[in-house]
Amino acid sequence: MEAKLRADCVFCRIIDGKESAQVLYENEHVISILDVNPVNFGHALVIPKKHYENFLLLPEEEYSSLLKAVKVVAEAVINGIEPKPEGFNILSNNGFVAGQRIFHVHFHIIPRYLSDGLKFKPIVKRYAKGEIERYADLIRQKINEPKTQIT
């Protein structure tokens, strides 16, 4: 099963050296490459070397190395490319409806410019009376629910 996942995943093929990419950073746990379909030039991806379909499947022991790599690459993008970005976005799309098209967890680092035309303008909703408390309670319930340990 793992072999099939890796064969079908473009990120796994890049990690395995079976497909080329512009590698920006790499260590034992993580690889970073330039996105071939950038929002702005310098748009980078940070990808764990082990295959996990989405962020919720990423084991806790992977968090630290992944987030450290995101910071290293974001600093290099912001301080390394010209024209110098005026800001940046860090995004992770999880699930098709959220825009995920490659089902291997990854983070986008997108350099931003005032004039780039990219707008994140969601249509915000308003909670009806009592709804914000209800949603908060539902979420807190899951956060505080005992987790089953697999031994």
Side-chain angles (χ1 to χ4, degrees):
M1 178 71 167
E2 177 69 22
K4 172 120 176 70
L5 276 176
R6 292 191 78 76
D8 290 343
C9 174
V10 65
F11 291 161
C12 288
R13 291 193 306 270
I14 289 167
I15 291 161
D16 292 342
K18 295 177 179 165
E19 211 161 304
S20 66
Q22 289 297 317
V23 176
L24 305 173
Y25 175 82
E26 185 171 9
N27 66 28
E28 178 184 344
H29 302 283
V30 176
I31 189 169
S32 177
I33 61 174
L34 280 178
D35 194 314
V36 295
N37 298 303
V39 172
N40 284 318
F41 296 125
H43 177 165
L45 304 174
V46 179
I47 310 159
K49 286 188 172 180
K50 291 183 182 173
H51 185 98
Y52 305 103
E53 186 173 309
N54 64 52
F55 184 77
L56 294 179
L57 298 174
L58 188 72
E60 194 171 326
E61 61 269 13
E62 298 279 346
Y63 299 169
S64 179
S65 59
L66 187 58
L67 194 55
K68 284 178 185 176
V70 167
K71 185 170 193 258
V72 166
V73 175
E75 285 178 337
V77 167
I78 294 309
N79 295 313
I81 65 173
E82 292 294 332
K84 183 175 176 48
E86 298 162 296
F88 63 100
N89 290 108
I90 298 172
L91 304 171
S92 179
N93 303 326
N94 292 273
F96 187 83
V97 72
Q100 187 178 14
R101 297 300 179 264
I102 298 173
F103 290 88
H104 182 135
V105 67
H106 58 285
F107 284 85
H108 294 259
I109 300 167
I110 304 170
R112 296 298 310 277
Y113 303 92
L114 191 57
S115 62
D116 67 15
L118 181 61
K119 302 289 182 225
F120 291 105
K121 294 191 81 149
I123 300 168
V124 296
K125 296 171 177 30
R126 300 273 184 237
Y127 287 105
K129 185 174 175 77
E131 273 192 326
I132 195 166
E133 294 85 359
R134 185 173 72 83
Y135 276 89
D137 286 343
L138 289 168
I139 294 166
R140 278 191 292 262
Q141 215 172 12
K142 283 298 177 186
I143 289 171
N144 295 317
E145 173 175 286
K147 308 290 186 255
T148 51
Q149 296 279 329
I150 299 174
T151 54

